[in-house]
Amino acid sequence: MTVSPWWRDAVVYEVYVRSFADGNGDGEGDLRGVRSRLGHLRDLGVDALWLTPFYPSPLADGGYDVADYRGVDPRFGTLDDFDALVADVHAHGLRLIIDIVPNHTSDRHPWFREAVGAPPGSPARDRYIFRRGRPGPDGEDPPNDWPSAFGGPAWTRLPDGEWYLHLFATEQPDLNWRDPTVRSEFEDILRFWLDRGVDGFRIDVAAGLVKDASFRDLAGRDHRVVSGPIYSRPEVHEIYRRWRRVLDGYGGDRMAIGEVWTDGPEELARYLRPDELHQVFQFDLQLAPWSASAFREVVLAALAAVAPTGAAPTWVLSSHDSVRHRTRYERPLSMPGVGTARAKAALLLLLALPGSAYLYQGEELGLPEVTDLPDGARQDPIWKRSRGGLPGRDGCRVPLPWSGTEEPFGFGPPGVRPWLPMPAGWASLTVEAQASDPSSMLAFYREALAMRRTLRGDLPEDLTWLDAPETALFFRRGPLTLALNCGDHPVRLPPGRPLLTTAPLYGDLLPGDAAAWLRTRG
Ligand code: GLC
C-alpha cells in the first residue's frame, strides 16, 4: 500500500538519459533505450523515474542548455518516442517526472539568437539579462562580481559592448523572469508536457530564477547564500504559486520538486507553502560524511525543516552532479570493499526514513565514480572552464553496464563506443552478472525495496530515536527499527527480529559499517 498522494513516500529513480541505454546505436542513451529497460526499473521496485533533459540541445552542459522546450533532441528520439515512453511507463505501474530548466536557455535558443541580433534596449534583449559594463572608459569590466557556478565570471560580453548574465556556462544565458513573456511561455511549456501525460517536474536551479533588481556585488560573500542577491529572492515564490495553479488544473496528483539549495530551514520551508511546490530536494544526507552523529544531525535538521509545512522530506545519496556515494564512503582511506559495505548500509538508512527517496542510476549496481577518464573524453563544462583543474561530473555519468564482458556492456549494440569510455572491470558489475548473484548489490536493492513496499503502509510518517552507542544510530517507525553502525567495532542491536541485514550478525551484535532492519512488535 502507498500513502496518498503517491510522491509522499515514493522511491524515484533518476535516469540520466544520455547514459542509461542506447536504443539507436549512436553511443548515447535515448528514449527508446529507456523504454527497452523499463523492466529493470519494475523489477528493482521503484515507483517513478525522473528523466534528465532530453530536449534539443547543443549539450554544452549535458542538455541543461535547452534550445527548444517542446521537442526531443534527434539524438534522444522523437516526440512519438516520448509519447510511447509515457504510455509504457504507466503500463509498468510507474510514474514519470521530467526535468524543466527555467533559469537559463541554451545560447542556441531562438530567443537568445534574436536577442543577440537585436539592439541594446530592445524587447528581445529584455527576455535575458543584458547590462552595460561597469562605468569606466569603455565598460570593459563585467557589470558586477558574480561568479559562474562552473568557474570564471558569470558575464560574457557581446561585440556591441553589452554583457549577458550566465550563472552557469557561457552557453547558458539566464532568462529575465521579470519579463511577463518568459513567465507565460513556461506555463505553456508545463501544459505542453502535462497534456502528454507526465506526472511531475524536477525544477532545475529552482531558487535562482529572479535576481535582486539592484544587481549588487557579492563583495566576498558566497554566491549561494540566500541573503545574497542571486538565490531565493522573494519574487521567485510568485512563479511557483502560478505553476502550482497550472499543476492543480490537472487530475492525477501531478507534482513538482525543486532543486533548491538554501542556507536555512526557513528559506526551504517557504518553497513548500501549500500553494507552492510539493517537494524540494534536501541534500543533507548526500553532504554528510560517514558518521552516525553526522547522519543523526542531518536527519533531525531535515525533518525539522519540513515539519512546519506538512510536506514530506526527501532524501538523496547520489545524483548526476555528485561523486558516487560508494566512492565518497571509501575516502580518504581506500580499504577494499568498504565503500560497497557502507553503500548497502546507507540504503537501509535511506529507505527507513519517512518521506521519499531519490536514487541515481547505477547506485543499484554499486558503481564507483570513474576517476581515470582520459582528458580527451571529459565533457563537463566544469572540467573545461577550470582548464582541467577540477575533474567535473563526468565520472558519475559513465554509461550503465547491462550485460556481457566488454564495452559497451549491453549499453548499446556491440562494437559501438559509448560517449564516455567504460572501465574494463565493469564486467562483474553488469545487471546481468548481478541479477543471478544473490549476494550482489542489485539483489540487495531489490530485496530492500520489496520489503519497504510490504511495510510502507504500516509505517508512521514520524520516527522515534532509540538510545544507541556513539558510533551507531537507531530509530523506530512502528513495526520497523533501523540500526546503523558507522564504527569499526560491533554494537549490540536494539530489540526486534532481524528482517534484513547488510552483513552477517554475530548473535545480537551488528558489525561495523553495517546496518539492519528489525521487526518490532507492539
Ligand atoms: C543543476 C543540474 C546540473 C546543471 C545545472 C545547470 O544543478 O542538476 O546538472 O549543470 O543545474 O543547469
Side-chain angles (χ1 to χ4, degrees):
M1 193 183 94
T2 59
V3 297
S4 177
W6 65 273
W7 38 264
R8 275 191 82 86
D9 70 346
V11 177
V12 182
Y13 181 99
E14 180 188 355
V15 171
Y16 192 76
V17 176
R18 206 178 171 195
S19 301
F20 187 71
D22 174 12
N24 66 2
D26 65 355
E28 297 189 80
D30 47 45
L31 298 182
R32 264 168 45 200
V34 180
R35 270 179 78 197
S36 72
R37 297 292 189 183
L38 289 175
H40 171 67
L41 301 184
R42 187 200 43 218
D43 296 348
L44 184 59
V46 300
D47 302 297
L49 322 45
W50 147 31
L51 290 187
T52 57
F54 47 79
Y55 312 106
S57 165
L59 301 189
D61 180 22
Y64 284 92
D65 47 322
V66 179
D68 170 8
Y69 288 86
R70 293 184 185 79
V72 175
D73 194 287
R75 276 181 268 222
F76 301 139
T78 61
L79 269 178
D80 286 342
D81 290 330
F82 183 85
D83 292 340
L85 175 63
V86 175
D88 278 8
V89 166
H90 289 155
H92 279 75
L94 300 163
R95 306 267 186 163
L96 185 68
I97 296 174
I98 61 170
D99 228 306
I100 179 109
V101 189
N103 181 67
H104 42 263
T105 68
S106 159
D107 61 351
R108 307 286 175 82
H109 189 284
W111 274 3
F112 193 70
R113 300 190 139 199
E114 194 188 331
V116 168
S122 56
R125 287 216 171 169
D126 211 32
R127 295 194 193 110
Y128 293 88
I129 300 180
F130 281 88
R131 289 285 180 281
R132 290 184 194 288
R134 286 208 197 258
D138 358 271
E140 72 239 345
D141 285 335
N144 65 25
D145 66 357
W146 295 1
S148 149
F150 293 161
W155 297 93
T156 291
R157 198 176 193 195
L158 293 183
D160 62 27
E162 282 215 321
W163 299 75
Y164 69 89
L165 178 73
H166 50 88
L167 292 181
F168 295 88
T170 317
E171 299 88 346
Q172 293 168 294
D174 277 50
L175 284 164
N176 171 19
W177 275 86
R178 294 179 194 273
D179 183 332
T181 55
V182 171
R183 296 188 180 217
S184 54
E185 171 71 355
F186 270 86
E187 284 164 32
D188 225 64
I189 292 164
L190 295 181
R191 286 193 202 94
F192 178 86
W193 295 104
L194 288 164
D195 288 339
R196 302 193 104 86
V198 305
D199 298 291
F201 298 95
R202 178 262 187 192
I203 308 167
D204 190 60
V205 194
L209 274 44
V210 187
K211 282 78 179 171
D212 190 82
S214 71
F215 283 84
R216 64 180 192 270
D217 277 345
L218 283 164
R221 264 178 316 193
D222 185 330
H223 66 280
R224 289 160 303 194
V225 293
V226 298
S227 47
I230 304 181
Y231 290 106
S232 289
R233 305 309 308 153
E235 298 91 334
V236 81
H237 296 285
E238 290 162 20
I239 297 167
Y240 298 129
R241 282 196 198 103
R242 291 176 55 161
W243 285 25
R244 179 61 176 257
R245 288 205 288 276
V246 172
L247 288 160
D248 286 349
Y250 287 78
D253 285 333
R254 317 284 180 116
M255 58 84 77
I257 175 165
E259 186 208 15
V260 173
W261 296 85
T262 63
D263 58 0
E266 296 82 21
E267 194 51 55
L268 192 91
R270 274 189 208 126
Y271 290 89
L272 297 171
R273 286 178 285 200
D275 58 348
E276 293 196 36
L277 303 180
H278 303 83
Q279 290 190 321
V280 291
F281 278 101
Q282 292 175 279
F283 295 106
D284 317 67
L285 268 188
Q286 181 179 309
L287 299 174
W290 183 255
S291 142
S293 56
F295 284 143
R296 193 182 144 100
E297 213 171 284
V298 299
V299 169
L300 275 166
L303 293 176
V306 295
T309 70
T314 65
W315 310 100
V316 50
L317 292 167
S318 280
S319 77
H320 67 289
D321 289 330
S322 61
V323 173
R324 284 188 176 276
H325 62 274
R326 171 186 151 186
T327 301
R328 284 203 317 269
Y329 293 152
E330 273 160 12
R331 293 176 178 169
L333 302 171
S334 184
M335 285 185 295
V338 77
T340 304
R342 290 177 176 179
K344 277 188 179 172
L347 180 71
L348 291 196
L349 167 64
L350 185 84
L351 296 182
L353 288 165
S356 50
Y358 283 76
L359 308 180
Y360 176 50
Q361 70 180 33
E363 66 171 81
E364 78 279 21
L365 305 177
L367 294 188
E369 183 81 1
V370 179
T371 51
D372 57 356
L373 286 169
D375 289 357
R378 291 188 188 270
Q379 304 211 4
D380 189 357
I382 295 183
W383 160 261
K384 293 184 182 161
R385 287 177 72 90
S386 69
R387 297 199 167 72
L390 295 169
R393 301 161 294 178
D394 294 310
C396 67
R397 298 175 178 179
V398 172
L400 285 195
W402 292 93
S403 60
T405 53
E406 57 190 49
E407 191 184 79
F409 297 108
F411 167 68
V416 175
R417 298 188 69 179
W419 71 280
L420 283 174
M422 302 170 72
W426 279 15
S428 60
L429 292 176
T430 64
V431 173
E432 181 184 54
Q434 296 199 39
S436 53
D437 173 3
S439 70
S440 67
M441 185 66 92
L442 178 59
F444 186 75
Y445 264 72
R446 286 179 177 168
E447 201 178 348
L449 284 162
M451 202 171 279
R452 184 183 187 270
R453 272 180 179 242
T454 324
L455 292 168
R456 72 203 270 183
D458 298 326
L459 300 179
E461 283 203 327
D462 54 358
L463 57 75
T464 310
W465 295 97
L466 307 177
D467 284 340
E470 209 184 314
T471 64
L473 176 147
F474 301 163
F475 64 73
R476 183 172 167 190
R477 287 179 67 208
L480 177 68
T481 294
L482 173 275
L484 168 67
N485 181 7
C486 297
D488 299 329
H489 299 293
V491 297
R492 197 163 305 281
L493 284 167
R497 178 171 59 81
L499 287 173
L500 185 60
T501 64
T502 63
L505 304 175
Y506 316 117
D508 63 352
L509 292 181
L510 176 67
D513 289 332
W517 281 355
L518 308 163
R519 175 112 204 168
T520 336
R521 274 185 205 290

